[in-house]
Amino acid sequence: MRLDTAEPWTLMVAGFLLSLGLIVCAAVTMPPVWILLRLLGQDPWPPAEGLAVLAIVTIVFVTAFTALCTFLYNVVARCAGGLAVTLTEDTPAAAAPESGPPEAEAPSGT
């Protein structure tokens, strides 16, 4: 199987959704961390006020970076031929010889 080109729009949408999902995970996990840090008497960083702007900037940059990487891959794939993947069938491992107790050799009479 050969991957000659990648669809920029599809990968850009996938990058957007991935970054959005990571921002949602961070938004769910950061408030308990901030509460715990405030209970311990430490000042949490970063401040909560600037995180919405940081999240939007992160989503835009990850989406743009994904699109840029897709275009670069398409240029390189046009020159080098793309990515080739060979799929093979798994073969069972050769049966190991049965290991039993070694047989004692009879002493020779000569």
Side-chain angles (χ1 to χ4, degrees):
M1 180 165 97
R2 182 171 294 278
L3 181 60
D4 293 331
T5 60
E7 184 65 36
W9 181 256
T10 303
L11 290 176
M12 191 171 70
V13 169
F16 170 76
L17 292 175
L18 177 67
S19 63
L20 187 65
L22 290 174
I23 294 297
V24 168
C25 289
V28 168
T29 57
M30 288 308 290
V33 171
W34 277 320
I35 291 170
L36 180 65
L37 285 174
R38 287 191 189 234
L39 288 175
L40 293 173
Q42 296 181 0
D43 187 30
W45 186 90
E49 295 80 27
L51 281 185
V53 173
L54 183 64
I56 292 171
V57 169
T58 302
I59 290 172
V60 169
F61 278 140
V62 168
T63 305
F65 184 71
T66 304
L68 177 67
C69 287
T70 305
F71 284 118
L72 288 175
Y73 174 79
N74 286 339
V75 169
V76 170
R78 189 175 301 149
C79 296
L83 182 67
V85 178
T86 304
L87 303 174
T88 61
E89 219 177 280
D90 287 339
T91 57
E98 292 183 25
S99 61
E103 294 182 23
E105 294 183 21
S108 69
T110 57

